[in-house]
Amino acid sequence: MTPIPSTKPNLTTNDSAVLQALFDAESSPSNAITINAALPAYPTHLNITPELLQTLQSREISIIRTLQSETTSLETIQQAIQDLDALIAEYPTYPSAYVNRAQTLRLLIDTTPSSSSSEQSKAEDEDDKLFAPENAEYASTLLADLGQAITLATPRSPADPVSTVQARLLADAHTHRGYLLLKAARLKKESHEEQEVGGGPDRLRGVEPGQLEDMASRDFFFGGRYGNKVAQQLAVQTNPFAKMCGAIVKEALRKEVAGDDGVRI
């Protein structure tokens, strides 16, 4: 067996920095956002004063507490959604209510019995139910809620600092939506028939799996940018540019390590 040469690739400092930034989401300069704990919870243009925020949070906590039992009934979940509907109708610029309604809608979908009683359906991933045709309306509202929360909480300029509350909400909402988009992409890939994903906004229908993955990657990027550690890793794994460059770099390094002897690793 021909021994593998011990020669190591000679990367410049700049090359190493570029590779580190590309493949390590946590080291990327784009993660350098400013979180200022002294800022109001939400941007001033949303007109949510500290006094109003306290009232809204109190109502919100009261609604969420009804869902924290291990035996939460379908009726209780539906009532919580109605209460969140009322809160949003009264205060449409309150981002947190949209995120919590999205979470409650997922709970509703998970709790509602499937229309099919087959063993195959029972064995399916619970998240698959989100994209079942019978849940299309719920899924549409859920994803629209995440989008609205992101729109409301996102700073007007990328250079603007964000509050702790704002950063946490954006991290969670982007990561949640990214996960669902990635799930939709995988369901389309796994489908043996060219069927559309049943749930979600109309804009997802007809979108190719690769495009859905790109959308998910973007959400994971922003989720990681605002502090979600899982999103930081998923952003790298789903980034098509990183994957493409990874294959190119890997091949280049293999050739450089092999040297003139043509030894492959």
Side-chain angles (χ1 to χ4, degrees):
M1 179 176 178
T2 307
I4 297 175
S6 59
T7 305
K8 295 182 180 180
N10 295 317
L11 297 178
T12 67
T13 302
N14 183 64
D15 289 339
S16 298
V18 170
L19 290 174
Q20 179 75 359
L22 178 60
F23 297 111
D24 182 354
E26 294 190 37
S27 71
S28 174
S30 60
N31 282 301
I33 70 162
T34 302
I35 299 177
N36 186 344
L39 288 174
Y42 296 109
T44 55
H45 68 271
L46 298 183
N47 298 317
I48 300 175
T49 64
E51 296 76 18
L52 177 57
L53 178 61
Q54 188 174 3
T55 299
L56 294 175
Q57 288 177 332
S58 178
R59 286 179 59 178
E60 199 171 21
I61 290 171
S62 179
I63 295 169
I64 298 306
R65 279 179 177 166
T66 66
L67 303 172
Q68 293 178 338
S69 169
E70 293 182 3
T71 57
T72 303
S73 67
L74 195 60
E75 291 73 18
T76 299
I77 299 171
Q78 291 171 331
Q79 182 60 55
I81 291 172
Q82 290 178 19
D83 292 340
L84 288 167
D85 288 345
L87 183 60
I88 289 170
E90 192 173 351
Y91 298 99
T93 63
Y94 181 46
S96 181
Y98 291 95
V99 172
N100 278 309
R101 187 168 67 178
Q103 294 280 16
T104 308
L105 284 165
R106 280 196 70 179
L107 181 60
L108 176 65
I109 292 170
D110 290 345
T111 306
T112 303
S114 174
S115 60
S116 172
S117 59
S118 69
E119 290 301 318
Q120 182 180 357
S121 295
K122 291 179 182 178
E124 286 178 353
D125 188 328
E126 286 295 322
D127 289 330
D128 292 1
K129 293 172 65 177
L130 178 68
F131 298 100
E134 63 266 26
N135 293 321
E137 184 177 351
Y138 293 145
S140 181
T141 301
L142 189 163
L143 287 168
D145 277 352
L146 292 175
Q148 182 64 5
I150 290 168
T151 297
L152 289 170
T154 298
R156 290 179 171 177
S157 168
D160 290 344
V162 297
S163 71
T164 304
V165 171
Q166 197 178 351
R168 184 169 61 248
L169 182 143
L170 286 167
D172 291 346
H174 274 295
T175 303
H176 189 174
R177 189 173 67 176
Y179 171 77
L180 296 178
L181 290 171
L182 188 60
K183 185 68 178 181
R186 289 176 178 170
L187 285 174
K188 282 196 172 189
K189 281 185 175 180
E190 293 169 1
S191 177
H192 296 295
E193 300 177 6
E194 294 185 356
Q195 296 177 341
E196 298 297 343
V197 172
D202 290 342
R203 71 186 182 91
L204 292 189
R205 299 178 185 178
V207 180
E208 295 297 321
Q211 293 174 295
L212 287 171
E213 288 181 345
D214 290 347
M215 294 163 64
S217 179
R218 179 177 172 81
D219 266 325
F220 289 139
F221 167 77
F222 281 108
R225 186 172 186 264
Y226 288 108
N228 188 293
K229 299 296 184 182
V230 173
Q232 288 174 356
Q233 300 305 316
L234 288 172
V236 174
Q237 295 174 25
T238 57
N239 183 342
F241 181 62
K243 287 189 289 187
M244 177 186 69
C245 289
I248 295 172
V249 170
K250 183 178 179 181
E251 181 64 18
L253 293 180
R254 285 176 57 168
K255 288 181 178 180
E256 188 167 350
V257 170
D260 296 333
D261 295 333
V263 179
R264 313 299 292 174
I265 59 172

